[in-house]
Amino acid sequence: GAAAGARELSAEADGIRRVKLVAVKALAGFNYVRPDAVIAVGATDPAKCTLYLQGGVAIPANEPAKDVIAKLEAASASAPEETP
């Protein structure tokens, strides 16, 4: 499925916790987004969507919204819980 094929990158954020980045197909290449920064996914075309991030950034994606949502959900489910 889409979640199984999702390319995920882990990056050291502060030496203690890891930040998950999910690859989303762009018109040329990939955009890597943090699942926790995505506040909405809009779709007006069955094969494309737009990710809306915190801070008002909109990122167009060249893949179906359902596939992007599956990737984001899979990454969020596998993210370690933060401890204070």
Side-chain angles (χ1 to χ4, degrees):
R7 295 193 323 181
E8 296 178 7
L9 301 178
S10 293
E12 287 295 325
D14 57 8
I16 297 173
R17 60 174 233 224
R18 294 190 162 277
V19 174
K20 283 262 193 206
L21 297 176
V22 176
V24 179
K25 292 179 191 171
L27 296 177
F30 289 90
N31 288 313
Y32 296 90
V33 298
R34 286 178 39 187
D36 63 336
V38 178
I39 58 173
V41 177
T44 56
D45 181 306
K48 299 177 184 174
C49 66
T50 302
L51 282 71
Y52 297 95
L53 307 181
Q54 296 171 352
V57 176
I59 298 176
N62 200 23
E63 59 184 299
K66 64 181 179 69
D67 293 350
V68 172
I69 292 167
K71 289 180 187 183
L72 295 170
E73 288 176 342
S76 295
S78 67
E81 301 211 6
E82 291 187 30
T83 55

